[in-house]
């Protein structure tokens, strides 16, 4: 699909305002409580370590809630996203505390300095919008300073490959491996609570196998330092089969041990 970038950008532009207004992104809580952190960042606090003073870039930062959380932990944050509507919400939330730039991930090195970041943070519904994981890994490696690290928590490729059936079974129904052609979706709605009626319903996604992601990072000379799979994710990814398990996470209601739902990966640039 030639116009994948424009298709997905239009889709994300329409999601930005309803997401900022949704209780699930807790924007009001960020405003009223200066110590508040997103569920996503809080989940990974035991793995994140000390980021105080670090030069961080959040790729695909959306409306800036995780970016602001990292700023509140002391990192000097820049957020990058290709959606001007998402960035308008992010700027309204973060003010001058965070620098935001508008670009596709693949153009990040045109708008940000190479080798200038101690931390590249990304994930939770980020990689599925990118057609080429090798190109993404090259951008990550290009942004990192020597000794800097990638911190990625993402939906597991086995989850992206899965679908639910009314009898409660999970079936493998979508590509696990990266394919040139995307999976095209045409559906209203989004993954947070909102009564917004969407006019822009088409989006296109790609899956990337876990081995493909790790191999792409290794091919860029990064050293893998963590790969932890989790049995929960911070959205209701298989509606009907999942239940909330606290702290914004969802897990399979029955036999959680069946399927990895997300993972946290860290890799360091030597
Ligand atoms: C689900 S959000 C992920 C961010 C974060 N987990 C969150 O929920 O706040 C996906 C973001 O990726 C952005 N995005 C999608 N494709 C992109 C691309 N090629 N370049 C830059 N941003 C992109 C969208 O605009 C959206 O803000």
């Amino acid at each position: 699909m030639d116009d994948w970038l424009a298709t997905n950008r239009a889709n994300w532009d329409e999601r930005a305002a309803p997401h900022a207004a949704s209780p699930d992104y807790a924007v009001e809580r960020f405003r009223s409580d200066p110590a508040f952190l997103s569920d996503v960042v809080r989940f990974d606090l035991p793995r994140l370590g000390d980021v105080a003073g670090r030069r961080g870039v959040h790729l695909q930062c959306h409306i800036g809630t995780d970016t602001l959380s990292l700023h509140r932990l002391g990192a000097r944050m820049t957020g990058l996203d290709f959606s001007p509507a998402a960035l308008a919400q992010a700027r309204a939330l973060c003010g001058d505390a965070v620098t935001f730039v508008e670009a596709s991930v693949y153009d990040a090195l045109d708008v940000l300095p190479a080798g200038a970041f101690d931390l590249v943070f990304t994930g939770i519904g980020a990689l599925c919008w990118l057609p080429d994981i090798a190109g993404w890994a090259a951008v990550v490696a290009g942004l990192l300073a020597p000794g800097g690290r990638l911190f990625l928590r993402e939906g597991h490729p086995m989850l992206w490959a899965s679908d639910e059936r009314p009898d409660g079974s999970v079936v493998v129904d979508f590509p696990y491996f990266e394919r040139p052609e995307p999976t095209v979706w045409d559906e209203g709605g989004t993954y947070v609570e909102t009564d917004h009626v969407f006019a822009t319903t088409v989006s296109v996604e790609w899956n990337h196998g876990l081995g493909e992601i790790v191999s792409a990072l290794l091919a860029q000379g990064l050293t893998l330092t963590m790969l932890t799979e989790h049995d929960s994710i911070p959205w209701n990814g298989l509606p009907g089969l999942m239940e909330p398990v606290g702290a914004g996470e969802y897990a399979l209601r029955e036999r959680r041990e069946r399927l990895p739902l997300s993972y946290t990966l860290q890799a360091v640039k030597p």
Side-chain angles (χ1 to χ4, degrees):
M1 173 181 262
D2 294 337
D3 59 351
W4 64 271
L5 201 78
T7 299
N8 282 347
R9 187 190 289 122
N11 188 282
W12 280 105
D13 277 344
E14 188 174 355
R15 291 198 215 197
H19 282 192
S22 169
D24 293 329
Y25 268 105
V27 165
E28 284 314 316
R29 185 78 196 280
F30 274 97
R31 293 209 166 100
S32 62
D33 179 358
F36 184 72
L37 302 178
S38 68
D39 285 337
V40 166
V41 168
R42 240 178 299 143
F43 177 89
D44 266 320
L45 283 179
R47 289 166 282 275
L48 187 59
D50 185 9
V51 297
R54 301 290 178 208
R55 299 162 298 172
V57 60
H58 182 188
L59 297 180
Q60 297 174 252
C61 63
H62 196 40
I63 60 172
T65 49
D66 298 338
T67 332
L68 183 57
S69 301
L70 293 165
H71 162 77
R72 288 179 172 182
L73 293 172
R76 291 148 51 196
M77 291 305 297
T78 298
L80 177 145
D81 204 282
F82 74 170
S83 162
L87 291 176
Q89 297 293 342
R91 289 188 176 106
L93 176 65
C94 303
D96 295 338
V98 174
T99 303
F100 289 102
V101 293
E102 182 184 321
S104 171
V105 166
Y106 293 114
D107 298 330
L109 288 162
D110 295 338
V111 295
L112 293 171
F117 294 95
D118 307 306
L119 176 71
V120 172
F121 182 94
T122 190
I124 302 302
L127 300 190
C128 57
W129 307 107
L130 305 177
D132 166 27
I133 204 67
W136 165 82
V139 169
V140 169
L143 290 167
L144 285 172
R149 69 181 155 132
L150 165 69
F151 193 98
L152 167 68
R153 183 183 178 214
E154 188 52 283
H156 200 287
M158 273 310 299
L159 171 66
W160 302 124
S162 298
D163 201 3
E164 74 271 14
R165 290 292 178 265
D167 68 358
S169 56
V170 180
V171 295
V172 181
D173 212 16
F174 301 106
Y176 173 85
F177 296 109
E178 183 177 302
R179 287 281 167 268
E181 284 305 310
T183 302
V184 180
W185 300 97
D186 186 356
E187 52 188 17
T190 183
Y191 51 86
V192 296
E193 187 186 325
T194 178
D195 51 16
H196 180 83
V197 179
F198 285 88
T200 313
T201 54
V202 177
S203 65
V204 299
E205 292 186 24
W206 292 263
N207 205 355
H208 315 283
L210 199 53
E212 292 173 333
I213 296 164
V214 169
S215 297
L217 294 167
L218 296 179
Q220 292 297 324
L222 301 192
T223 303
L224 187 69
T225 55
M226 176 183 287
L227 179 53
T228 304
E229 292 170 300
H230 310 291
D231 64 3
S232 67
I233 43 166
W235 77 93
N236 192 357
L238 293 169
L241 301 190
M242 289 188 162
E243 62 182 2
V245 292
E249 295 282 311
Y250 291 79
L252 289 177
R253 192 180 305 113
E254 293 171 15
R255 295 184 290 131
R256 289 169 68 154
E257 67 278 10
R258 274 183 288 170
L259 188 68
L261 299 180
S262 65
Y263 62 94
T264 303
L265 179 157
Q266 296 198 61
V268 172
K269 182 165 170 169

